[in-house]
Amino acid sequence: MNIVTLKSSKEKSLLRRHPWVYANAIERVAGKPASGATVLVQAHDGRFLARAAWSGHSQIRARVWSFDEAEPIDHAFFKRRIQRALLHRQAMVHNTGAVRLIFGEADGLPGLVVDHYTGADAPQRGQLVCQFMAAGVEAWKEAIVAALIAVTGCPNVYERSDVSIRAKEGLEQITGVLAGEAPPETLVVSENGVRYHVDVLHGHKTGFYVDQRDNRALVQQMAAGRDVLNCFCYTGGFSLAALAGGAQRVVSIDSSGEALALAQRNVTVNGFDAARATWLDADAFKTLRRLHDDGERFDLIVLDPPKFAPSREHVDRAARAYKDINLTGFKLLRPGGLLFTYSCSGAIDAELFQKIVAGAAADARVDARILRRLGAGMDHPLLSAFPEGEYLKGLLLQVG
Ligand code: SAH
């Protein structure tokens, strides 16, 4: 058995059930744990703290599987965790063919993300898409895949572990079929009555921004009769929601022609009037300014950009970028207009994001009222002991 002993006074965070052990908290390691091997973590005085997955390459040297001394880490453990996650999702998430089944630490499976897509036209042909982002889940991949299939009954499992974070764990990027059939080129899922093409093979993350479901629903509810602008639209998630909600006109911007092509297919598959939708293949920063200079105005704007701050060093530059788009966004709104604005940068917390947006409103010389704080859906729970798990935050504001 590999035993990791923490430095004295470094056990506090584990006692508070935070699931990470940093390299600098470790006093000594008995044994030579392989990458992903299960280690027993104990306090300086030898008290049991947790069982965890060893990751010799990462500054996060171990990730906790269980705080229960009586719980062994074996096939049954993974099955129980996945069963629990599925039960919670079934109780909380409805009206969608795109569900995050496993959200890493929050589901007691650090480093694992699994999205479950159910085809709108072929519900029997489900698709699980996994991302293995830490040494522990990588080492247990076979057991995890077998448990996923057994618990969900979905035979098709695809891996999208083409994420740079794997380098920190000493792992190569990898994609491919883990079980069953290869995913179709795109599969169509239905969410709140709207159909979306999902490109599991090449799309962002697992193919779809599953996390924005509730926010799409909110846009759908509030779009009737409005002129809508959706920046960083990707495959048109918010644009389609706005069209479904009866928007008068939806202008969408993205710099990826491929994403826009899929967005346009999404208009067709829903049978919406293509004349209500305009797609601009362009840089959002420049285009926002141009639209403003041209005197265009909107009633509802969505700003959901990529992660501007991939890590802490990027926070200042990212803050300027968020401020820039929000400033122009505010200026483009008619009185009474609504701004849905997001940041998915983990390094920018909700408080800082709100300050940036407030600064943008001040510079735009508008009164902006926060109507609601926004975040990811309930299938992206946030472990109370683990604030690092909060990445997506947003605000719904009204001006004038
Ligand atoms: N809002 C989307 C997800 C956004 S992902 C949704 O709900 O599905 C970020 C998107 O921003 C990507 O599609 C990427 O192509 C686009 N992007 C990145 N930089 C950009 C820029 N400078 N101008 C326009 N689009 C950009």
Side-chain angles (χ1 to χ4, degrees), residues 204 209 212 232-234 238 254-256 282-285 304-306:
H204 288 187
Y209 284 83
Q212 290 283 24
F232 309 95
C233 69
Y234 185 49
F238 285 109
D254 202 282
S255 57
S256 159
D283 175 68
F285 291 84
D304 180 29

Side-chain angles (χ1 to χ4, degrees), residues 241-308:
L243 289 168
Q248 176 161 286
R249 168 173 85 114
V250 180
V251 176
S252 307
I253 309 170
D254 202 282
S255 57
S256 159
E258 278 172 31
L260 290 171
L262 203 50
Q264 279 162 289
R265 280 174 65 191
N266 282 335
V267 175
T268 312
V269 76
N270 283 283
F272 294 145
D273 174 10
R276 281 199 289 150
T278 308
W279 305 95
L280 304 176
D281 184 346
D283 175 68
F285 291 84
K286 289 190 192 135
T287 308
L288 279 166
R289 273 193 282 276
R290 181 183 62 73
L291 289 170
H292 181 258
D293 294 345
D294 290 351
E296 292 266 15
R297 294 297 179 265
F298 298 90
D299 308 301
L300 191 162
I301 297 179
V302 180
L303 300 173
D304 180 29
K307 203 193 282 179
F308 287 152

Side-chain angles (χ1 to χ4, degrees), residues 100-155:
R100 176 142 302 186
L101 174 60
I102 305 290
F103 185 48
E105 279 73 359
D107 287 303
L109 296 170
L112 181 67
V113 158
V114 182
D115 287 341
H116 189 178
Y117 295 113
T118 313
D121 300 314
Q124 68 286 3
R125 205 220 166 279
Q127 179 70 55
L128 294 162
V129 189
C130 309
Q131 296 182 305
F132 293 85
M133 293 178 284
V137 284
E138 178 75 14
W140 286 96
K141 194 180 279 180
E142 269 180 45
I144 289 168
V145 171
L148 282 169
I149 295 170
V151 170
T152 64
C154 174

